[in-house]
Amino acid sequence: MSLTTSEKTDKLFAAYFKARSSMKELAPTGKNGAFKTSDGKVATFAPLQTIQRHIEGPFFDNDLLFSQSPTMTPDGMMVVTTLLLHAPSSQWMRGEFALKPDRPGVHGQVACST
């Protein structure tokens, strides 16, 4: 796992704080029957599309752009890179994390990247 930033981050972090503080709690609306909670109920989660819609307005209102891109390494690791950019200042933050898919093929890669 790695985290890198532009030389300056003051405007990026100020915009991120403003965007983040305007967001309400996001309710988990997705259900995953493959996992159970400790009391035996079906596990819930917030779907990726719901999260994207949830943060889009506050991010755009504060001139923040984000992207996530998965790549595969030659040794079979899935690396997901997240980029957060403050457009007016060009300040940025990039994080990367790597995971090993639990099975070979596209289904393992997609499951790992989400």
Side-chain angles (χ1 to χ4, degrees), residues 61-95:
D61 291 347
N62 289 282
D63 300 316
L64 294 168
L65 301 171
F66 66 95
S67 70
Q68 286 190 309
S69 55
T71 55
M72 290 296 292
T73 65
D75 63 349
M77 296 293 287
M78 171 69 66
V79 179
V80 178
T81 301
T82 302
L83 178 67
L84 178 63
L85 171 73
H86 182 243
S89 68
S90 297
Q91 293 179 4
W92 56 269
M93 177 171 56
R94 181 179 62 229

PDB file of all heavy atoms in Angstrom, residues 61-95:
ATOM      1  N   ASP A  61     -18.835  20.197  -6.417  1.00  0.00           N
ATOM      2  CA  ASP A  61     -19.070  21.527  -5.849  1.00  0.00           C
ATOM      3  C   ASP A  61     -17.799  22.138  -5.273  1.00  0.00           C
ATOM      4  O   ASP A  61     -17.705  23.365  -5.129  1.00  0.00           O
ATOM      5  CB  ASP A  61     -20.128  21.463  -4.745  1.00  0.00           C
ATOM      6  CG  ASP A  61     -21.521  21.166  -5.281  1.00  0.00           C
ATOM      7  OD1 ASP A  61     -21.733  21.256  -6.508  1.00  0.00           O
ATOM      8  OD2 ASP A  61     -22.401  20.824  -4.458  1.00  0.00           O
ATOM      9  N   ASN A  62     -16.834  21.303  -4.928  1.00  0.00           N
ATOM     10  CA  ASN A  62     -15.576  21.778  -4.336  1.00  0.00           C
ATOM     11  C   ASN A  62     -14.382  21.559  -5.272  1.00  0.00           C
ATOM     12  O   ASN A  62     -13.235  21.549  -4.823  1.00  0.00           O
ATOM     13  CB  ASN A  62     -15.349  21.092  -2.995  1.00  0.00           C
ATOM     14  CG  ASN A  62     -16.331  21.598  -1.960  1.00  0.00           C
ATOM     15  OD1 ASN A  62     -16.159  22.678  -1.427  1.00  0.00           O
ATOM     16  ND2 ASN A  62     -17.393  20.847  -1.713  1.00  0.00           N
ATOM     17  N   ASP A  63     -14.668  21.410  -6.559  1.00  0.00           N
ATOM     18  CA  ASP A  63     -13.631  21.288  -7.600  1.00  0.00           C
ATOM     19  C   ASP A  63     -12.714  20.098  -7.392  1.00  0.00           C
ATOM     20  O   ASP A  63     -11.517  20.155  -7.688  1.00  0.00           O
ATOM     21  CB  ASP A  63     -12.801  22.577  -7.700  1.00  0.00           C
ATOM     22  CG  ASP A  63     -13.649  23.778  -8.062  1.00  0.00           C
ATOM     23  OD1 ASP A  63     -14.487  23.644  -8.967  1.00  0.00           O
ATOM     24  OD2 ASP A  63     -13.483  24.847  -7.441  1.00  0.00           O
ATOM     25  N   LEU A  64     -13.270  18.998  -6.879  1.00  0.00           N
ATOM     26  CA  LEU A  64     -12.503  17.777  -6.681  1.00  0.00           C
ATOM     27  C   LEU A  64     -12.884  16.743  -7.743  1.00  0.00           C
ATOM     28  O   LEU A  64     -14.062  16.568  -8.049  1.00  0.00           O
ATOM     29  CB  LEU A  64     -12.766  17.192  -5.292  1.00  0.00           C
ATOM     30  CG  LEU A  64     -12.282  18.029  -4.115  1.00  0.00           C
ATOM     31  CD1 LEU A  64     -12.862  17.500  -2.810  1.00  0.00           C
ATOM     32  CD2 LEU A  64     -10.769  18.053  -4.066  1.00  0.00           C
ATOM     33  N   LEU A  65     -11.893  16.073  -8.266  1.00  0.00           N
ATOM     34  CA  LEU A  65     -12.095  14.991  -9.213  1.00  0.00           C
ATOM     35  C   LEU A  65     -11.461  13.744  -8.632  1.00  0.00           C
ATOM     36  O   LEU A  65     -10.436  13.829  -7.946  1.00  0.00           O
ATOM     37  CB  LEU A  65     -11.439  15.311 -10.556  1.00  0.00           C
ATOM     38  CG  LEU A  65     -11.923  16.574 -11.253  1.00  0.00           C
ATOM     39  CD1 LEU A  65     -11.035  16.868 -12.458  1.00  0.00           C
ATOM     40  CD2 LEU A  65     -13.359  16.424 -11.684  1.00  0.00           C
ATOM     41  N   PHE A  66     -12.058  12.588  -8.901  1.00  0.00           N
ATOM     42  CA  PHE A  66     -11.485  11.346  -8.415  1.00  0.00           C
ATOM     43  C   PHE A  66     -11.573  10.295  -9.503  1.00  0.00           C
ATOM     44  O   PHE A  66     -12.436  10.349 -10.379  1.00  0.00           O
ATOM     45  CB  PHE A  66     -12.200  10.853  -7.154  1.00  0.00           C
ATOM     46  CG  PHE A  66     -13.626  10.450  -7.390  1.00  0.00           C
ATOM     47  CD1 PHE A  66     -13.957   9.124  -7.625  1.00  0.00           C
ATOM     48  CD2 PHE A  66     -14.635  11.386  -7.389  1.00  0.00           C
ATOM     49  CE1 PHE A  66     -15.275   8.753  -7.858  1.00  0.00           C
ATOM     50  CE2 PHE A  66     -15.955  11.026  -7.615  1.00  0.00           C
ATOM     51  CZ  PHE A  66     -16.275   9.709  -7.849  1.00  0.00           C
ATOM     52  N   SER A  67     -10.663   9.356  -9.442  1.00  0.00           N
ATOM     53  CA  SER A  67     -10.724   8.215 -10.354  1.00  0.00           C
ATOM     54  C   SER A  67     -10.121   7.012  -9.658  1.00  0.00           C
ATOM     55  O   SER A  67      -9.289   7.152  -8.760  1.00  0.00           O
ATOM     56  CB  SER A  67      -9.986   8.500 -11.658  1.00  0.00           C
ATOM     57  OG  SER A  67      -8.592   8.565 -11.435  1.00  0.00           O
ATOM     58  N   GLN A  68     -10.565   5.849 -10.081  1.00  0.00           N
ATOM     59  CA  GLN A  68      -9.985   4.598  -9.610  1.00  0.00           C
ATOM     60  C   GLN A  68      -9.736   3.723 -10.824  1.00  0.00           C
ATOM     61  O   GLN A  68     -10.607   3.612 -11.693  1.00  0.00           O
ATOM     62  CB  GLN A  68     -10.910   3.875  -8.639  1.00  0.00           C
ATOM     63  CG  GLN A  68     -10.954   4.531  -7.281  1.00  0.00           C
ATOM     64  CD  GLN A  68     -11.664   3.676  -6.262  1.00  0.00           C
ATOM     65  OE1 GLN A  68     -12.770   3.221  -6.486  1.00  0.00           O
ATOM     66  NE2 GLN A  68     -11.011   3.471  -5.119  1.00  0.00           N
ATOM     67  N   SER A  69      -8.557   3.139 -10.870  1.00  0.00           N
ATOM     68  CA  SER A  69      -8.240   2.272 -12.005  1.00  0.00           C
ATOM     69  C   SER A  69      -7.493   1.037 -11.519  1.00  0.00           C
ATOM     70  O   SER A  69      -6.481   1.147 -10.830  1.00  0.00           O
ATOM     71  CB  SER A  69      -7.419   3.025 -13.045  1.00  0.00           C
ATOM     72  OG  SER A  69      -6.269   3.582 -12.456  1.00  0.00           O
ATOM     73  N   PRO A  70      -8.024  -0.132 -11.866  1.00  0.00           N
ATOM     74  CA  PRO A  70      -7.342  -1.378 -11.512  1.00  0.00           C
ATOM     75  C   PRO A  70      -6.389  -1.801 -12.627  1.00  0.00           C
ATOM     76  O   PRO A  70      -6.654  -1.582 -13.807  1.00  0.00           O
ATOM     77  CB  PRO A  70      -8.491  -2.371 -11.377  1.00  0.00           C
ATOM     78  CG  PRO A  70      -9.533  -1.859 -12.317  1.00  0.00           C
ATOM     79  CD  PRO A  70      -9.374  -0.367 -12.352  1.00  0.00           C
ATOM     80  N   THR A  71      -5.271  -2.393 -12.238  1.00  0.00           N
ATOM     81  CA  THR A  71      -4.335  -2.982 -13.189  1.00  0.00           C
ATOM     82  C   THR A  71      -3.840  -4.304 -12.600  1.00  0.00           C
ATOM     83  O   THR A  71      -3.894  -4.516 -11.392  1.00  0.00           O
ATOM     84  CB  THR A  71      -3.120  -2.071 -13.470  1.00  0.00           C
ATOM     85  OG1 THR A  71      -2.490  -1.747 -12.228  1.00  0.00           O
ATOM     86  CG2 THR A  71      -3.525  -0.789 -14.158  1.00  0.00           C
ATOM     87  N   MET A  72      -3.381  -5.168 -13.465  1.00  0.00           N
ATOM     88  CA  MET A  72      -2.811  -6.442 -13.031  1.00  0.00           C
ATOM     89  C   MET A  72      -1.300  -6.398 -13.212  1.00  0.00           C
ATOM     90  O   MET A  72      -0.814  -5.927 -14.239  1.00  0.00           O
ATOM     91  CB  MET A  72      -3.370  -7.602 -13.870  1.00  0.00           C
ATOM     92  CG  MET A  72      -4.824  -7.914 -13.623  1.00  0.00           C
ATOM     93  SD  MET A  72      -5.196  -8.485 -11.957  1.00  0.00           S
ATOM     94  CE  MET A  72      -4.381 -10.065 -11.930  1.00  0.00           C
ATOM     95  N   THR A  73      -0.578  -6.897 -12.231  1.00  0.00           N
ATOM     96  CA  THR A  73       0.873  -7.005 -12.342  1.00  0.00           C
ATOM     97  C   THR A  73       1.212  -8.344 -12.999  1.00  0.00           C
ATOM     98  O   THR A  73       0.377  -9.257 -13.013  1.00  0.00           O
ATOM     99  CB  THR A  73       1.550  -6.922 -10.958  1.00  0.00           C
ATOM    100  OG1 THR A  73       1.145  -8.057 -10.195  1.00  0.00           O
ATOM    101  CG2 THR A  73       1.183  -5.634 -10.233  1.00  0.00           C
ATOM    102  N   PRO A  74       2.426  -8.484 -13.526  1.00  0.00           N
ATOM    103  CA  PRO A  74       2.804  -9.756 -14.153  1.00  0.00           C
ATOM    104  C   PRO A  74       2.709 -10.959 -13.210  1.00  0.00           C
ATOM    105  O   PRO A  74       2.484 -12.081 -13.647  1.00  0.00           O
ATOM    106  CB  PRO A  74       4.248  -9.517 -14.600  1.00  0.00           C
ATOM    107  CG  PRO A  74       4.351  -8.047 -14.767  1.00  0.00           C
ATOM    108  CD  PRO A  74       3.441  -7.458 -13.718  1.00  0.00           C
ATOM    109  N   ASP A  75       2.845 -10.712 -11.898  1.00  0.00           N
ATOM    110  CA  ASP A  75       2.768 -11.834 -10.954  1.00  0.00           C
ATOM    111  C   ASP A  75       1.346 -12.108 -10.451  1.00  0.00           C
ATOM    112  O   ASP A  75       1.135 -12.864  -9.507  1.00  0.00           O
ATOM    113  CB  ASP A  75       3.731 -11.624  -9.784  1.00  0.00           C
ATOM    114  CG  ASP A  75       3.410 -10.396  -8.950  1.00  0.00           C
ATOM    115  OD1 ASP A  75       2.571  -9.566  -9.379  1.00  0.00           O
ATOM    116  OD2 ASP A  75       3.994 -10.243  -7.871  1.00  0.00           O
ATOM    117  N   GLY A  76       0.329 -11.484 -11.095  1.00  0.00           N
ATOM    118  CA  GLY A  76      -1.057 -11.790 -10.782  1.00  0.00           C
ATOM    119  C   GLY A  76      -1.692 -10.982  -9.672  1.00  0.00           C
ATOM    120  O   GLY A  76      -2.777 -11.311  -9.212  1.00  0.00           O
ATOM    121  N   MET A  77      -1.050  -9.913  -9.230  1.00  0.00           N
ATOM    122  CA  MET A  77      -1.635  -9.051  -8.200  1.00  0.00           C
ATOM    123  C   MET A  77      -2.526  -8.001  -8.859  1.00  0.00           C
ATOM    124  O   MET A  77      -2.208  -7.484  -9.924  1.00  0.00           O
ATOM    125  CB  MET A  77      -0.544  -8.353  -7.386  1.00  0.00           C
ATOM    126  CG  MET A  77       0.338  -9.289  -6.586  1.00  0.00           C
ATOM    127  SD  MET A  77      -0.539 -10.126  -5.252  1.00  0.00           S
ATOM    128  CE  MET A  77      -0.754  -8.801  -4.101  1.00  0.00           C
ATOM    129  N   MET A  78      -3.650  -7.696  -8.223  1.00  0.00           N
ATOM    130  CA  MET A  78      -4.536  -6.637  -8.671  1.00  0.00           C
ATOM    131  C   MET A  78      -4.153  -5.378  -7.896  1.00  0.00           C
ATOM    132  O   MET A  78      -4.168  -5.372  -6.667  1.00  0.00           O
ATOM    133  CB  MET A  78      -5.991  -7.002  -8.377  1.00  0.00           C
ATOM    134  CG  MET A  78      -6.995  -5.900  -8.600  1.00  0.00           C
ATOM    135  SD  MET A  78      -7.241  -5.444 -10.309  1.00  0.00           S
ATOM    136  CE  MET A  78      -7.976  -6.926 -10.962  1.00  0.00           C
ATOM    137  N   VAL A  79      -3.766  -4.328  -8.616  1.00  0.00           N
ATOM    138  CA  VAL A  79      -3.404  -3.059  -7.992  1.00  0.00           C
ATOM    139  C   VAL A  79      -4.483  -2.036  -8.340  1.00  0.00           C
ATOM    140  O   VAL A  79      -4.771  -1.821  -9.522  1.00  0.00           O
ATOM    141  CB  VAL A  79      -2.020  -2.556  -8.476  1.00  0.00           C
ATOM    142  CG1 VAL A  79      -1.688  -1.214  -7.834  1.00  0.00           C
ATOM    143  CG2 VAL A  79      -0.951  -3.581  -8.163  1.00  0.00           C
ATOM    144  N   VAL A  80      -5.096  -1.441  -7.330  1.00  0.00           N
ATOM    145  CA  VAL A  80      -6.099  -0.407  -7.543  1.00  0.00           C
ATOM    146  C   VAL A  80      -5.474   0.936  -7.165  1.00  0.00           C
ATOM    147  O   VAL A  80      -4.974   1.110  -6.051  1.00  0.00           O
ATOM    148  CB  VAL A  80      -7.376  -0.661  -6.716  1.00  0.00           C
ATOM    149  CG1 VAL A  80      -8.382   0.467  -6.917  1.00  0.00           C
ATOM    150  CG2 VAL A  80      -7.991  -1.999  -7.092  1.00  0.00           C
ATOM    151  N   THR A  81      -5.489   1.862  -8.121  1.00  0.00           N
ATOM    152  CA  THR A  81      -4.943   3.194  -7.914  1.00  0.00           C
ATOM    153  C   THR A  81      -6.099   4.177  -7.802  1.00  0.00           C
ATOM    154  O   THR A  81      -6.972   4.223  -8.678  1.00  0.00           O
ATOM    155  CB  THR A  81      -4.035   3.608  -9.088  1.00  0.00           C
ATOM    156  OG1 THR A  81      -2.979   2.662  -9.200  1.00  0.00           O
ATOM    157  CG2 THR A  81      -3.450   4.995  -8.868  1.00  0.00           C
ATOM    158  N   THR A  82      -6.125   4.946  -6.711  1.00  0.00           N
ATOM    159  CA  THR A  82      -7.132   5.983  -6.507  1.00  0.00           C
ATOM    160  C   THR A  82      -6.436   7.333  -6.581  1.00  0.00           C
ATOM    161  O   THR A  82      -5.407   7.546  -5.933  1.00  0.00           O
ATOM    162  CB  THR A  82      -7.810   5.831  -5.133  1.00  0.00           C
ATOM    163  OG1 THR A  82      -8.401   4.533  -5.050  1.00  0.00           O
ATOM    164  CG2 THR A  82      -8.880   6.888  -4.924  1.00  0.00           C
ATOM    165  N   LEU A  83      -6.998   8.235  -7.385  1.00  0.00           N
ATOM    166  CA  LEU A  83      -6.444   9.573  -7.548  1.00  0.00           C
ATOM    167  C   LEU A  83      -7.494  10.589  -7.138  1.00  0.00           C
ATOM    168  O   LEU A  83      -8.650  10.507  -7.586  1.00  0.00           O
ATOM    169  CB  LEU A  83      -6.023   9.811  -8.999  1.00  0.00           C
ATOM    170  CG  LEU A  83      -5.475  11.197  -9.319  1.00  0.00           C
ATOM    171  CD1 LEU A  83      -4.139  11.429  -8.607  1.00  0.00           C
ATOM    172  CD2 LEU A  83      -5.315  11.366 -10.821  1.00  0.00           C
ATOM    173  N   LEU A  84      -7.112  11.521  -6.284  1.00  0.00           N
ATOM    174  CA  LEU A  84      -7.970  12.635  -5.887  1.00  0.00           C
ATOM    175  C   LEU A  84      -7.254  13.906  -6.313  1.00  0.00           C
ATOM    176  O   LEU A  84      -6.089  14.111  -5.954  1.00  0.00           O
ATOM    177  CB  LEU A  84      -8.204  12.620  -4.371  1.00  0.00           C
ATOM    178  CG  LEU A  84      -9.041  13.756  -3.794  1.00  0.00           C
ATOM    179  CD1 LEU A  84     -10.461  13.713  -4.354  1.00  0.00           C
ATOM    180  CD2 LEU A  84      -9.069  13.671  -2.274  1.00  0.00           C
ATOM    181  N   LEU A  85      -7.935  14.749  -7.093  1.00  0.00           N
ATOM    182  CA  LEU A  85      -7.319  15.949  -7.674  1.00  0.00           C
ATOM    183  C   LEU A  85      -8.166  17.166  -7.367  1.00  0.00           C
ATOM    184  O   LEU A  85      -9.397  17.129  -7.529  1.00  0.00           O
ATOM    185  CB  LEU A  85      -7.201  15.777  -9.197  1.00  0.00           C
ATOM    186  CG  LEU A  85      -6.772  16.993  -9.992  1.00  0.00           C
ATOM    187  CD1 LEU A  85      -5.289  17.284  -9.775  1.00  0.00           C
ATOM    188  CD2 LEU A  85      -7.058  16.796 -11.470  1.00  0.00           C
ATOM    189  N   HIS A  86      -7.515  18.238  -6.928  1.00  0.00           N
ATOM    190  CA  HIS A  86      -8.179  19.533  -6.787  1.00  0.00           C
ATOM    191  C   HIS A  86      -7.878  20.311  -8.064  1.00  0.00           C
ATOM    192  O   HIS A  86      -6.742  20.726  -8.303  1.00  0.00           O
ATOM    193  CB  HIS A  86      -7.657  20.275  -5.546  1.00  0.00           C
ATOM    194  CG  HIS A  86      -8.322  21.586  -5.326  1.00  0.00           C
ATOM    195  ND1 HIS A  86      -7.642  22.776  -5.373  1.00  0.00           N
ATOM    196  CD2 HIS A  86      -9.617  21.890  -5.059  1.00  0.00           C
ATOM    197  CE1 HIS A  86      -8.479  23.770  -5.135  1.00  0.00           C
ATOM    198  NE2 HIS A  86      -9.689  23.250  -4.944  1.00  0.00           N
ATOM    199  N   ALA A  87      -8.891  20.473  -8.915  1.00  0.00           N
ATOM    200  CA  ALA A  87      -8.682  20.989 -10.271  1.00  0.00           C
ATOM    201  C   ALA A  87      -8.051  22.388 -10.324  1.00  0.00           C
ATOM    202  O   ALA A  87      -7.078  22.580 -11.067  1.00  0.00           O
ATOM    203  CB  ALA A  87      -9.991  20.956 -11.051  1.00  0.00           C
ATOM    204  N   PRO A  88      -8.538  23.380  -9.564  1.00  0.00           N
ATOM    205  CA  PRO A  88      -7.948  24.717  -9.719  1.00  0.00           C
ATOM    206  C   PRO A  88      -6.472  24.807  -9.331  1.00  0.00           C
ATOM    207  O   PRO A  88      -5.715  25.551  -9.938  1.00  0.00           O
ATOM    208  CB  PRO A  88      -8.787  25.597  -8.786  1.00  0.00           C
ATOM    209  CG  PRO A  88     -10.055  24.855  -8.577  1.00  0.00           C
ATOM    210  CD  PRO A  88      -9.699  23.403  -8.671  1.00  0.00           C
ATOM    211  N   SER A  89      -6.059  24.037  -8.331  1.00  0.00           N
ATOM    212  CA  SER A  89      -4.677  24.135  -7.846  1.00  0.00           C
ATOM    213  C   SER A  89      -3.763  23.054  -8.419  1.00  0.00           C
ATOM    214  O   SER A  89      -2.550  23.133  -8.252  1.00  0.00           O
ATOM    215  CB  SER A  89      -4.645  24.037  -6.318  1.00  0.00           C
ATOM    216  OG  SER A  89      -5.011  22.733  -5.903  1.00  0.00           O
ATOM    217  N   SER A  90      -4.343  22.037  -9.033  1.00  0.00           N
ATOM    218  CA  SER A  90      -3.599  20.864  -9.523  1.00  0.00           C
ATOM    219  C   SER A  90      -2.928  20.080  -8.400  1.00  0.00           C
ATOM    220  O   SER A  90      -2.022  19.287  -8.658  1.00  0.00           O
ATOM    221  CB  SER A  90      -2.570  21.254 -10.589  1.00  0.00           C
ATOM    222  OG  SER A  90      -3.219  21.789 -11.723  1.00  0.00           O
ATOM    223  N   GLN A  91      -3.355  20.279  -7.172  1.00  0.00           N
ATOM    224  CA  GLN A  91      -2.834  19.480  -6.061  1.00  0.00           C
ATOM    225  C   GLN A  91      -3.538  18.121  -6.102  1.00  0.00           C
ATOM    226  O   GLN A  91      -4.705  18.033  -6.466  1.00  0.00           O
ATOM    227  CB  GLN A  91      -3.075  20.191  -4.726  1.00  0.00           C
ATOM    228  CG  GLN A  91      -2.271  21.468  -4.597  1.00  0.00           C
ATOM    229  CD  GLN A  91      -2.519  22.193  -3.287  1.00  0.00           C
ATOM    230  OE1 GLN A  91      -3.238  21.740  -2.403  1.00  0.00           O
ATOM    231  NE2 GLN A  91      -1.901  23.365  -3.157  1.00  0.00           N
ATOM    232  N   TRP A  92      -2.808  17.080  -5.710  1.00  0.00           N
ATOM    233  CA  TRP A  92      -3.345  15.732  -5.849  1.00  0.00           C
ATOM    234  C   TRP A  92      -2.853  14.813  -4.745  1.00  0.00           C
ATOM    235  O   TRP A  92      -1.867  15.101  -4.065  1.00  0.00           O
ATOM    236  CB  TRP A  92      -2.963  15.150  -7.214  1.00  0.00           C
ATOM    237  CG  TRP A  92      -1.476  15.157  -7.459  1.00  0.00           C
ATOM    238  CD1 TRP A  92      -0.753  16.154  -8.054  1.00  0.00           C
ATOM    239  CD2 TRP A  92      -0.523  14.154  -7.094  1.00  0.00           C
ATOM    240  NE1 TRP A  92       0.579  15.834  -8.082  1.00  0.00           N
ATOM    241  CE2 TRP A  92       0.752  14.602  -7.504  1.00  0.00           C
ATOM    242  CE3 TRP A  92      -0.614  12.921  -6.467  1.00  0.00           C
ATOM    243  CZ2 TRP A  92       1.911  13.861  -7.289  1.00  0.00           C
ATOM    244  CZ3 TRP A  92       0.535  12.190  -6.266  1.00  0.00           C
ATOM    245  CH2 TRP A  92       1.777  12.658  -6.675  1.00  0.00           C
ATOM    246  N   MET A  93      -3.554  13.706  -4.626  1.00  0.00           N
ATOM    247  CA  MET A  93      -3.177  12.638  -3.710  1.00  0.00           C
ATOM    248  C   MET A  93      -3.475  11.327  -4.437  1.00  0.00           C
ATOM    249  O   MET A  93      -4.526  11.184  -5.059  1.00  0.00           O
ATOM    250  CB  MET A  93      -3.990  12.734  -2.422  1.00  0.00           C
ATOM    251  CG  MET A  93      -3.720  11.622  -1.433  1.00  0.00           C
ATOM    252  SD  MET A  93      -4.503  11.890   0.189  1.00  0.00           S
ATOM    253  CE  MET A  93      -6.208  12.103  -0.243  1.00  0.00           C
ATOM    254  N   ARG A  94      -2.534  10.400  -4.370  1.00  0.00           N
ATOM    255  CA  ARG A  94      -2.712   9.106  -5.044  1.00  0.00           C
ATOM    256  C   ARG A  94      -2.410   7.987  -4.061  1.00  0.00           C
ATOM    257  O   ARG A  94      -1.386   8.001  -3.374  1.00  0.00           O
ATOM    258  CB  ARG A  94      -1.775   9.001  -6.245  1.00  0.00           C
ATOM    259  CG  ARG A  94      -1.944   7.671  -6.998  1.00  0.00           C
ATOM    260  CD  ARG A  94      -1.038   7.554  -8.207  1.00  0.00           C
ATOM    261  NE  ARG A  94       0.351   7.602  -7.797  1.00  0.00           N
ATOM    262  CZ  ARG A  94       1.279   8.392  -8.361  1.00  0.00           C
ATOM    263  NH1 ARG A  94       0.962   9.203  -9.338  1.00  0.00           N
ATOM    264  NH2 ARG A  94       2.514   8.366  -7.929  1.00  0.00           N
ATOM    265  N   GLY A  95      -3.317   7.034  -3.999  1.00  0.00           N
ATOM    266  CA  GLY A  95      -3.113   5.865  -3.161  1.00  0.00           C
ATOM    267  C   GLY A  95      -3.195   4.612  -4.008  1.00  0.00           C
ATOM    268  O   GLY A  95      -3.960   4.555  -4.973  1.00  0.00           O
TER     269      GLY A  95
END
